[in-house]
Amino acid sequence: MPRLSADLGIDLWIKRDDLTGFGGGGNKGRKLEFLMPQVVASGADVVVTCGATSSNFVRQLGAACAMLGLGCEAVVMDAPFEPGFPRASAPPLAEGGNEVLNDLFGVVRHRLPDGSWDELFEGAAHHAAALRGRGRRVFELRIGGSSAEGAYAFALAANEIPDGFDWVVVASSSGSTLAGLAPTLQTRGMRVVGISADPEEENRDDVLRLAREATARFGLPSLTSIDLRFDYVGEGYGVASDAGQAASRQMARREGIVLDPVYSAKAFAGLLDLVARGELTGRGLFWHTGGLPSVFGHPRS
Ligand SMILES: *Cc1c(COP(=O)(O)O)cnc(C)c1O
């Protein structure tokens, strides 16, 4: 990215996982490449997952289920939250964005009133049990498609990056993107910095657990250290931050590339801050995870 490199005084590159293309693009397409064969092999006729109403995973899963002739049911909350953290004053918008595509792909949504993430997971388990009770063959997928398979997909993706980068910055939430990228890139001498889209620091444990699962199952290198930052979340998950929106404008106006308000804009705001502080220098790579539809589900700024 020559113009941003000149702005920042570093050599900055970008990985365009926003352009994976499938079901509107973004990082979840890579996970689905390894999750859907499991679903098909199980003989399931319906997939049940959960997430925020504006989840990119639900949207791309909807496309995958459509092309495989499977039902897709998602238990969703507009603004799930973590107890003990301040609730955002501006809840994310539920309409527009991914919801338009979820309609198109025929995703059946079961919208619960806002509650904790644990209540959302329980809601999904309950719904899966109810469908089984009606004779459906259900396959449950974890939030964000984060499992050993999801991490494995990103360990392979890491091989698409040439040597010679000092560091890689990527957005993180349910954890398998970072859990897959970090061990492989670290083994090759790159520093990997995850920027969290959620405030709760326990998410670090999710990344470590997913990396352990992927090591056990696929023999990936083990994750020895993890650098996950919680400083750029702003008001909360799903709510656009001022720094993120400013970073988004800078990316759009200097390089003609669109970030999303929930993940990649905040991750890029983190990158800009860490460069300004002198923590990140030399040749770096921003891993763009996608999320374009969310631009149309948030207020303009
Ligand atoms: C899901 C998502 C992430 C985070 O990936 P995880 O594997 O859940 O950590 C980042 N960016 C976008 C656009 C996403 O949809």
Side-chain angles (χ1 to χ4, degrees):
M1 295 195 285
R3 290 165 64 82
L4 279 173
S5 295
D7 289 354
L8 304 178
I10 57 171
D11 186 13
L12 185 60
W13 294 70
I14 187 166
K15 175 67 170 163
R16 300 291 307 271
D17 261 7
D18 55 324
L19 301 181
T20 54
F22 182 74
N27 65 338
K28 304 308 184 303
R30 290 188 183 274
K31 304 185 192 188
L32 289 164
E33 188 179 348
F34 294 93
L35 292 169
M36 295 316 287
Q38 276 195 309
V39 174
V40 170
S42 77
D45 61 13
V46 61
V47 178
V48 171
T49 193
C50 64
T53 305
S54 61
S55 161
N56 293 304
F57 178 62
V58 169
R59 180 244 312 162
Q60 288 189 273
L61 175 65
C65 288
M67 72 179 271
L68 293 168
L70 300 166
C72 182
E73 305 213 4
V75 176
V76 298
M77 290 180 183
D78 292 348
F81 57 84
E82 187 68 13
F85 284 84
R87 302 277 297 273
S89 63
L93 297 187
E95 296 306 322
N98 282 311
E99 279 292 82
V100 176
L101 298 175
N102 288 338
D103 279 338
L104 273 175
F105 292 136
V107 178
V108 178
R109 279 94 81 204
H110 303 271
R111 199 163 166 188
L112 302 181
D114 286 344
S116 68
W117 291 102
D118 282 341
E119 285 165 337
L120 178 62
F121 303 154
E122 281 160 26
H126 186 79
H127 184 64
L131 286 176
R132 286 194 181 100
R134 281 182 251 144
R136 301 291 299 274
R137 299 186 305 280
V138 179
F139 197 99
E140 291 173 75
L141 284 174
R142 283 193 232 160
I143 191 157
S146 271
S147 63
E149 287 72 22
Y152 179 64
F154 279 93
L156 295 185
N159 294 329
E160 295 170 17
I161 299 301
D163 285 328
F165 289 104
D166 299 305
W167 48 267
V168 174
V169 168
V170 64
S172 182
S173 180
S174 67
S176 57
T177 301
L178 183 59
L181 287 179
T184 302
L185 293 175
Q186 285 169 355
T187 304
R188 293 171 54 203
M190 297 177 216
R191 179 173 166 197
V192 180
V193 182
I195 308 285
S196 180
D198 315 79
E200 54 271 23
E201 304 214 358
E202 296 78 36
N203 283 8
R204 227 180 237 124
D205 302 332
D206 295 339
V207 178
L208 292 167
R209 175 180 49 76
L210 286 160
R212 270 197 306 275
E213 287 177 15
T215 300
R217 197 172 160 122
F218 297 103
L220 300 184
S222 47
L223 183 60
T224 46
S225 69
I226 172 173
D227 188 353
L228 181 56
R229 310 290 177 107
F230 296 85
D231 310 314
Y232 307 101
V233 179
E235 276 203 56
Y237 173 79
V239 183
S241 70
D242 290 343
Q245 297 307 86
S248 191
R249 283 191 294 274
Q250 190 170 352
M251 177 70 89
R253 292 172 191 187
R254 296 297 280 165
E255 298 288 350
I257 294 172
V258 182
L259 301 176
D260 85 289
V262 181
Y263 303 96
S264 54
K266 291 177 181 179
F268 192 56
L271 182 154
L272 292 176
D273 184 57
L274 295 171
V275 168
R277 289 168 187 276
E279 266 202 61
L280 298 177
T281 57
R283 175 177 288 173
L285 182 132
F286 178 66
W287 195 292
H288 188 344
T289 45
L292 175 72
S294 297
V295 169
F296 307 108
H298 275 73
R300 271 156 54 206
S301 65

